[in-house]
Amino acid sequence: MLKDTKYSVLINIGFDPKEIQIYLALLELGEGSILEISKRSKVNRASIYYIIEGMKQKGYVSHLKKNSGYVYMPTDPASLLSRQKSRIQDFEKTVPELNRLMSQNEKHTFVRFFEGIAGVKILYADTLSAKTEILSYANSREIRDHWIDYDAEYVAKRIAKKIKLRGIAADDEYGRQVQNGDKKSYRETRLINSKKLKFRDEINIYDDKIAMASFGDDVFGVIIESKALTETQRSIFEMAWEFSSQ
């Protein structure tokens, strides 16, 4: 398991499989010649010359002339971590500008698909970034049947972030239970006759996004990011809100 973890982490930060074998071998050796690295890593000696040049350019290894040849040393993992943190910080500084460029085009539309309850949880996590209130059509029972800790894992986080939610739900046992908890949940719920409101899905409208989660036989979710579509759905919600009971 530890080996799998090390490999997956190094892959995620940019190593390829052969580079990982060489890097881990060097960590164990401390330093080594091409021959020593080949023996420890099980990578063909002829291939190492080419691979290790690329690793030097990426900053994964360094080298030192010793006696009649060169020895290679791995970059300290802490240095690699520091470099990754620096890159993340640089990217975070750039995100507002990238978002500004994206927002200039009102016609852009992005669609993301999420599979299974694990995917749907990622979808809900996106709603926690909402800068506007969340407008929601919800089947209060379905979400909690599929996500047992929904209130603790999601609702509590939304409350902590003080993201207000206005929701329309079926007037049934679950809907009334949710409505009774509105005051402490930073939420306002209105109920509609459960015979007229028949759906197993949930729709959340926020920012310029529409997040839809389906809890039928196949659990999946979709986020559509479109200013035009979101404005339309927001208007439809407001009409439904006006005619729903308080």
Side-chain angles (χ1 to χ4, degrees):
M1 180 62 70
L2 181 58
K3 179 179 178 181
D4 291 341
T5 300
K6 287 188 296 188
Y7 269 67
S8 62
V9 168
L10 290 172
I11 286 288
N12 286 338
I13 67 171
F15 282 77
D16 68 33
K18 294 292 186 185
E19 289 175 340
I20 292 174
Q21 288 176 251
I22 293 170
Y23 182 71
L24 294 180
L26 278 172
L27 288 177
E28 294 173 354
L29 290 168
E31 64 177 43
S33 65
I34 294 293
L35 178 60
E36 291 170 327
I37 296 169
S38 177
K39 288 181 178 179
R40 182 61 65 95
S41 68
K42 309 300 182 187
V43 176
N44 180 275
R45 182 177 176 181
S47 300
I48 289 181
Y49 286 101
Y50 171 76
I51 296 169
I52 212 159
E53 281 302 312
M55 294 179 71
K56 283 164 54 181
Q57 293 177 16
K58 294 177 182 178
Y60 298 158
V61 301
S62 57
H63 71 286
L64 179 68
K65 188 169 180 60
K66 200 169 187 179
N67 298 325
S68 59
Y70 289 96
V71 293
Y72 298 86
M73 296 152 288
T75 299
D76 185 343
S79 295
L80 292 181
L81 175 61
S82 177
R83 188 188 308 168
Q84 291 298 320
K85 287 181 177 179
S86 178
R87 288 173 177 169
I88 291 171
Q89 289 171 353
D90 289 342
F91 184 70
E92 286 177 339
K93 293 175 184 177
T94 309
V95 165
E97 176 63 15
L98 297 177
N99 284 335
R100 186 187 67 78
L101 292 173
M102 184 174 69
S103 65
Q104 288 177 351
N105 180 9
E106 295 186 356
K107 296 181 180 179
H108 78 271
T109 300
F110 299 108
V111 179
R112 287 178 282 163
F113 186 79
F114 305 85
E115 289 187 283
I117 191 63
V120 167
K121 288 183 179 182
I122 295 173
L123 177 149
Y124 276 88
D126 188 83
T127 70
L128 295 176
S129 67
K131 301 296 187 295
T132 64
E133 67 175 341
I134 298 172
L135 307 178
S136 174
Y137 301 95
N139 184 312
S140 303
R141 176 176 181 173
E142 288 290 342
I143 179 64
R144 289 167 176 81
D145 281 349
H146 286 82
W147 186 355
I148 304 300
D149 297 320
Y150 169 79
D151 290 288
E153 294 182 356
Y154 172 74
V155 177
K157 291 180 181 178
R158 180 180 57 74
I159 295 169
K161 289 177 175 287
K162 295 186 177 179
I163 301 172
K164 183 179 179 181
L165 182 145
R166 281 193 290 145
I168 296 174
D171 187 2
D172 56 19
E173 177 186 353
Y174 285 86
R176 289 189 291 273
Q177 183 177 338
V178 167
Q179 188 182 54
N180 289 337
D182 276 356
K183 189 173 182 179
K184 65 180 181 181
S185 298
Y186 216 65
R187 177 181 62 215
E188 183 179 357
T189 305
R190 292 188 178 181
L191 305 176
I192 290 181
N193 189 316
S194 58
K195 293 181 180 179
K196 296 180 180 179
L197 185 67
K198 293 184 178 180
F199 57 83
R200 301 179 65 180
D201 308 331
E202 179 162 339
I203 300 174
N204 290 300
I205 304 161
Y206 58 101
D207 298 341
D208 290 334
K209 301 176 183 178
I210 305 162
M212 298 178 285
S214 178
F215 300 100
D217 294 333
D218 294 320
V219 178
F220 66 92
V222 178
I223 292 179
I224 302 173
E225 187 169 351
S226 165
K227 184 173 183 179
L229 287 176
T230 304
E231 286 178 348
T232 299
Q233 289 301 315
R234 192 170 275 121
S235 296
I236 293 171
F237 178 91
E238 294 296 355
M239 285 190 291
W241 182 261
E242 183 178 346
F243 290 103
S244 58
S245 61
Q246 298 187 29

